[in-house]
Amino acid sequence: EDILTYELDRSGEMPEWRFCKDSKGFKNAFEALPKDLQLLGLLKGHALMGDKLSWHAVQTTLERAVRADILTADQSERVQKDMMIRASESVRESRCIPELKELGLTLEDAIKEYLEREVVFTPLDVITECAVLDFLQVGDDASKYLKGEKPQ
C-alpha cells in the first residue's frame, strides 16, 4: 500500500537514487496530470519503466488506478473481463474443453493460467483497452509517448 518515492540526485559524479522522505510534491504533481498520463505512469512504474507487464502487474495497476480515482471499480473489472474474453479465444484454440475437464480445470482457470504464464502486456495494451471502452480519453502527450515519439 505504501508508495515509496525516489528522486535522481545528479549533483555528484555518479547519479544516485535517493529516498524522498516527503512525497507530497510527487503526489501533487501526479494528481495534477491528466488521467491518461496518471495511468501511463502507474503502468510504467509496474513495468519498471519498461514495456512488459505480467497479468498480475496489470491487475495490480488497475487496482491502484481505482484507488487513485483514475478508473472506477466497475471500469477496472470491465477492462479485466474484456482482456479475459479475448484470451479465452486463444485458450479454446490451444486446448480442447474435454482436456480441461480431465485436468480438473474450468475454462476460467485455464484463461487465468494462460494470462499469467503466456501473455506479456504493454502499457499501450492497457491504455488502448481503457480508451476503446470509453473509460479514458487519451491526450496527445500520452499518445505520442505510446507511439515512441517525444511529447512537446
Side-chain angles (χ1 to χ4, degrees):
E1 293 298 316
D2 291 336
I3 294 177
L4 304 176
T5 308
Y6 290 81
E7 64 184 349
L8 187 59
D9 179 1
R10 295 183 177 163
S11 61
E13 285 184 35
M14 289 293 293
E16 291 183 86
W17 287 103
R18 301 220 188 268
F19 177 70
C20 298
K21 292 179 184 172
D22 181 14
S23 62
K24 283 182 186 175
F26 173 82
K27 185 176 180 187
N28 291 340
F30 179 79
E31 290 173 353
L33 291 171
K35 301 286 186 193
D36 60 336
L37 291 176
Q38 288 180 19
L39 182 58
L40 178 60
L42 291 176
L43 290 163
K44 292 296 282 186
H46 276 279
L48 301 176
M49 304 318 284
D51 284 324
K52 294 181 181 178
L53 293 157
S54 67
W55 176 239
H56 177 75
V58 169
Q59 292 175 302
T60 302
T61 301
L62 291 171
E63 289 170 12
R64 291 224 168 126
V66 170
R67 286 197 302 271
D69 291 325
I70 299 167
L71 297 172
T72 67
D74 288 343
Q75 290 171 332
S76 171
E77 190 174 300
R78 175 72 190 276
V79 169
Q80 293 176 61
K81 184 178 178 182
D82 278 20
M83 291 176 142
M84 288 182 69
I85 288 169
R86 249 193 313 292
S88 72
E89 296 166 15
S90 296
V91 170
R92 283 190 176 113
E93 289 173 9
S94 66
R95 300 174 102 167
C96 65
I97 302 302
E99 177 189 343
L100 295 176
K101 289 180 182 175
E102 285 179 26
L103 295 171
L105 292 173
T106 65
L107 180 58
E108 186 173 340
D109 291 336
I111 292 166
K112 288 178 182 177
E113 180 181 303
Y114 171 75
L115 288 168
E116 290 167 0
R117 293 184 182 187
E118 305 292 328
V119 181
V120 176
F121 296 92
T122 67
L124 177 60
D125 296 331
V126 179
I127 288 181
T128 299
E129 185 69 34
C130 291
V132 165
L133 292 170
D134 224 11
F135 297 156
L136 191 69
Q137 298 298 316
V138 181
D140 289 340
D141 286 342
S143 182
K144 285 179 182 178
Y145 180 83
L146 291 166
K147 291 177 186 174
E149 301 170 8
K150 290 197 176 199
Q152 303 265 338

